[in-house]
Amino acid sequence: MALVVQKFGGTSVADAERIRAVADHVARSRRQGQQVVVVVSAMGKETDELIHLAGQVSQTRPGREMDMLLTAGERKAMALLCMALHDLGVPADSFTGSQAGIITDTFHERAKILEIKADRLRECLAADKVPVVAGFQGVSTERDVTTLGRGGSDTTAVALAAALNADAMEKYSDVPGVFSADPRLVPGARRLPHVSYDEMLEIAATGSGVIAFRAVEFARNHSVPMHVRSSFTWEPGTWIREEDPTMEQPIISAVTHDTSEAKVTVAGVPDQPGIAARLFRSLADKSVNLDMIVQNVSLHGTTDISFTVPKSDLDIALEVCRSHADEIAADDVLADSQIAKVSLVGAGMKTNPGVGARMFETLADAGINIEMISTSPIRITCVVRAEQVELAVQVLHRAFELEG
Ligand code: ASP
Ligand code: MG
């Protein structure tokens, strides 16, 4: 019998009606002969609300108590779903992360799963019941309740699927799958029937919020096939799994974009060993999350270094660069938050030359200037003006014939 882990996000369990719809679906899956393990997120925006509440009583928000508070959200959802399942005659038991045997390290609010002792879940399945597990939480090696960081329920579901050797992890939300571009920008964007883990990692890293990067990484490392699909229409969505070596890979699968980053340029730095090392060490020590880094060729012994950071890290990045400017004898530090990244992702790029040329020509024809370029074996990213990013996505989607 196939075993699936079904994970339901906040919008899928947002109210009583949605919870009953999820219960119906679980019952239907059982009737179709599947064994089901359920992972739930907190209802709707509950996690945000709990964080807001904490901010109203505390400036310090100690991690241990934050975790105790936030895990309550998933706890509510799992108990309610079990009740709805009981009413349909489906035997189900809820489990907190701790009860489910999810052992984590001791870092509150960003714990990592170390081990899963899944015997209780196995016993529950053996008794022909549905285990309903609270997402995003575990218990630390010090026996404290922990959370895995925002959006962590995806990781819970993948980790349980790996531990239980499930056939698949199904991620249900209000997003019906992975698309060839954001359908809000490109009405003709197509739902992709499948993408490889590597493509999905690049898509997640360059703009699509459909599934957390960390969960995809975990799924790839443990070979857990994932199915991203809608809990509103229940239609098939997008499969994320190993590349099929017998099939030719699409050259381009998706055009992604991201407007959440800003560009910093340190101008006129001496072209000598150790300068970049010093600058980037200081940025790393402040936990600034760097993305693209470009250093130009030097003219007359000086060069410019540009990099992108999340806008939320811009102030601290500027502070670090400015405090270093004198020390490394740089001319100037410039910030630009009006940038956006547009990326092409596709496994077939590895074996098809000329994708970059075609991308740059397409952008040029649309009058879009490219400010930075970076690549991986299956991705090309250009930094462009933010106000031109919609157009960039549209013309690339058309040029690479991604329409359905
Ligand atoms: N409820 C948590 C959050 O909103 C975890 C999750 O939904 O995955 O971040
Ligand atoms: Mg959530």
Side-chain angles (χ1 to χ4, degrees):
M1 200 179 349
L3 171 64
V4 292
V5 176
Q6 298 185 338
K7 183 260 169 178
F8 296 93
T11 52
S12 305
V13 292
D15 55 32
E17 194 192 329
R18 298 306 323 153
I19 289 177
R20 285 197 306 267
V22 166
D24 278 339
H25 182 69
V26 172
R28 192 159 59 233
S29 305
R30 293 223 332 158
R31 281 197 302 275
Q32 288 165 355
Q34 288 182 318
Q35 255 189 322
V36 184
V37 174
V38 176
V39 173
V40 283
S41 286
M43 295 169 68
K45 299 253 168 273
E46 173 128 44
T47 308
D48 294 326
E49 283 155 21
L50 291 171
I51 292 172
H52 180 70
L53 199 53
Q56 290 181 314
V57 299
S58 166
Q59 301 277 315
T60 53
R61 298 195 293 190
R64 183 181 185 281
E65 303 314 322
M66 281 305 285
D67 281 351
M68 197 61 95
L69 176 69
L70 296 190
T71 50
E74 272 68 14
R75 199 168 172 138
K76 240 168 95 176
M78 70 178 186
L80 291 169
L81 178 57
C82 279
M83 292 180 199
L85 284 166
H86 281 255
D87 276 35
L88 297 175
V90 176
D93 284 342
S94 59
F95 295 89
T96 63
S98 168
Q99 289 175 311
I102 299 173
I103 316 294
T104 73
D105 62 21
T106 56
F107 292 98
H108 284 293
E109 299 180 85
R110 56 189 162 96
K112 291 217 156 54
I113 296 175
L114 299 176
E115 189 192 349
I116 296 188
K117 297 183 175 154
D119 352 330
R120 281 194 78 178
L121 301 185
R122 280 193 204 97
E123 282 163 23
C124 184
L125 286 168
D128 197 31
K129 293 186 188 174
V130 175
V132 178
V133 181
F136 151 79
Q137 54 177 271
V139 62
S140 76
T141 46
E142 303 276 319
R143 289 177 297 165
D144 278 321
V145 168
T146 49
T147 63
L148 308 179
R150 294 307 305 273
S153 299
D154 288 352
T155 305
T156 302
V158 174
L160 285 180
L164 295 168
N165 205 5
D167 295 280
M169 184 285 237
E170 298 183 331
K171 177 193 156 96
Y172 290 91
S173 73
D174 52 353
V175 182
V178 181
F179 282 78
S180 57
D182 184 337
R184 284 167 300 189
L185 264 55
V186 183
R190 195 167 50 92
R191 183 181 53 75
L192 304 172
H194 39 76
V195 291
S196 68
Y197 293 122
D198 288 341
E199 285 175 314
M200 193 60 229
L201 284 170
E202 296 283 10
I203 291 171
T206 56
S208 164
V210 65
I211 183 160
F213 185 88
R214 182 176 162 197
V216 185
E217 211 176 19
F218 203 111
R220 181 188 58 181
N221 294 346
H222 295 85
S223 298
V224 176
M226 277 187 292
H227 188 182
V228 176
R229 52 190 298 192
S230 164
S231 63
F232 290 76
T233 65
W234 307 104
E235 293 167 315
T238 301
W239 279 95
I240 303 160
R241 58 184 169 215
E242 228 96 56
E243 236 171 62
D244 180 349
T246 63
M247 298 250 292
E248 206 167 346
Q249 298 305 308
I251 299 179
I252 302 301
S253 291
V255 186
T256 58
H257 72 285
D258 182 1
T259 54
S260 69
E261 296 196 346
K263 181 171 78 168
V264 176
T265 301
V266 186
V269 295
D271 193 12
Q272 288 159 11
I275 300 275
R278 245 189 288 164
L279 185 64
F280 289 109
R281 163 51 53 206
S282 305
L283 289 164
D285 288 346
K286 295 275 184 197
S287 297
V288 173
N289 207 344
L290 293 173
D291 186 22
M292 293 166 81
I293 304 175
V294 170
Q295 180 181 325
N296 295 323
V297 290
S298 67
L299 263 185
H300 316 299
T302 66
T303 180
D304 297 343
I305 297 177
S306 294
F307 56 85
T308 64
V309 290
K311 281 181 182 150
S312 52
D313 282 357
L314 178 61
D315 288 345
I316 176 81
L318 286 173
E319 201 182 302
V320 170
C321 291
R322 292 203 169 116
S323 78
H324 263 59
D326 279 343
E327 192 194 322
I328 60 179
D331 292 340
D332 209 353
V333 178
L334 310 161
D336 184 350
S337 55
Q338 298 306 308
I339 60 148
K341 296 190 308 184
V342 58
S343 307
L344 288 179
V345 177
M349 236 185 252
K350 280 181 291 205
T351 46
N352 282 277
V355 173
R358 200 144 129 231
M359 179 181 194
F360 308 149
E361 282 158 8
T362 304
L363 294 175
D365 288 346
I368 297 167
N369 187 41
I370 300 168
E371 304 182 20
M372 292 166 96
I373 301 169
S374 83
T375 62
S376 86
I378 62 165
R379 173 187 53 79
I380 305 179
T381 302
C382 294
V383 168
V384 299
R385 285 290 93 203
E387 77 244 18
Q388 289 184 307
V389 74
E390 278 200 39
L391 177 64
V393 172
Q394 287 157 356
V395 294
L396 289 169
H397 197 267
R398 203 173 313 128
F400 285 89
E401 293 167 18
L402 301 180
E403 228 112 299

